[in-house]
Amino acid sequence: MISFNVPPVTGKEIIYMQDAISRNKICGDGYYTKLCNKWIEDTTGIAKALLTTSCTHATELAAILCDIKPGDEVIMPSYTFVSTADAFVLRGAKVVFVDIRPDTMNIDEKLIENAITDKTVAIVPVHYAGVSCEMDTIMEIAGKYNLKVVEDAAQGVMSKYKGKSLGTIGDYGCYSFHETKNYSMGEGGAILIRDAKDSDRAEIVREKGTDRSRFLRGQVDKYTWVAAGSSYLPSDLNAAYLYAQLEVAQQVFDDRMNSWNKYNEAFKYLKDKGVIETPFVPEECEHNAHMYYIKLDNIEERTKFINYMKENDILTVFHYIPLHSAPAGREYGVFAGEDKYTTKESERIVRLPLYYNMGETVDEVISKVYKYFE
Ligand SMILES: *Cc1c(COP(=O)(O)O)cnc(C)c1O
């Protein structure tokens, strides 16, 4: 059976976890957490990066930093993972869903302005498949209406928009290091904080509302409870696992890109014949080969395709039942404008196996896809 995903392992994970154990420090903010934070800061140029227990938690932290209150409205696509909405709904916000663009599956930047009301507080662009949203337009709208921007860059580690790393453009950026993402620590994530003035508060909320981070830096004599907070810091064991991968991030990137390009070149023929659609990457975007998907004509075609692949021992998956059509989405959200593409395009998409070190497995998948369309 060819799996849809295999969690990345690059070789030094066990060595670094063993080292974390011998340092007698496996709680949060140990040696490896600091190395990971620094790696993110150095690689992306962000003022401050902090590892978190997940991207969901990074987004929750961002929602707290945005001072989201009950009744506030937050704009996001409906075609996304539940966490994007959960983080804001937990703070009492109403979610306002905006349609996606069919080419990138990202929020349609041209429809955002129409969804803004006097209750709108934030825009949450989701960089689907590690391909950036149209950030210049989004930042311009946010500036005009004085809105916060929280980038859901869960899939966007090592991706860029006009040369800028995803997650560094909005007020806050959220990364995921879940086992299905390009770089992993099992469960984990990071928050990126653009303005240095926000980083003290972020550290405090992440550390149970205490100024422990300042204490550890010797800036205060003892640490105490200074604000409402939670515990969003991962164990240093998980950070050690992640650091092994971040250290060779380019190697993982190149390997995935190689598989992605193989798919894309192989399917050009089917695309040109109008049999399938393949991913579109705008010129100003550098993606990270997080995902390879194809689009079939409709949901019936897709079901047939997935079943055929499964019978041939290849797991392909679809995802994102649009949030506005889910029970919680109906309760906490509203779709602004017309759902022209969200539902229709979500029913056409199917993701092919893509993971680090796939090797020749890519060719097996390609030949089975061709068999199906024969
Ligand atoms: C994976 C993912 C998340 C959630 O990440 P976790 O680290 O599992 O919390 C959120 N948003 C998007 C778009 C994702 O792909």
Side-chain angles (χ1 to χ4, degrees), residues 53-57 59 80-81 83-84 126 152 154-155 175-178 180-181 187-189 290 320:
T53 29
S54 64
C55 179
T56 309
H57 277 166
T59 316
T80 183
F81 189 57
S83 305
T84 320
V126 179
D152 182 336
Q155 303 176 7
Y175 282 174
S176 175
F177 299 116
H178 185 261
T180 53
K181 302 303 201 285
E187 298 275 355
H290 172 61
Y320 303 157

Side-chain angles (χ1 to χ4, degrees), residues 2 12 37 49 78 109 123 140 207 245 269 285 301 320 327 334 371:
I2 296 178
K12 287 208 175 145
N37 292 345
S78 171
E109 67 280 358
I123 307 172
E140 199 183 307
E207 267 275 24
Q245 303 189 2
Y269 175 80
C285 301
E301 280 300 318
Y320 303 157
V334 58
K371 276 242 168 63

Side-chain angles (χ1 to χ4, degrees), residues 67-84:
D67 293 311
I68 301 292
K69 288 179 289 297
D72 287 351
E73 292 181 4
V74 176
I75 293 173
M76 65 181 65
S78 171
Y79 185 70
T80 183
F81 189 57
V82 293
S83 305
T84 320

Side-chain angles (χ1 to χ4, degrees), residues 44 65 67 79 89 136 203 309 340 346 370:
T44 67
L65 296 174
D67 293 311
Y79 185 70
V89 165
D136 276 356
E203 284 180 341
M309 295 299 277
K340 203 165 161 192
S346 75
Y370 265 88

Side-chain angles (χ1 to χ4, degrees), residues 14 17 21 49 53 56 84 87 89 171 180 213 218 257 261 275 281 285 307 322 344:
I14 292 282
M17 287 174 86
I21 293 167
T53 29
T56 309
T84 320
V89 165
D171 297 81
T180 53
S213 298
M257 193 58 79
N261 285 333
V275 177
V281 181
C285 301
N307 289 341
K344 184 168 156 247

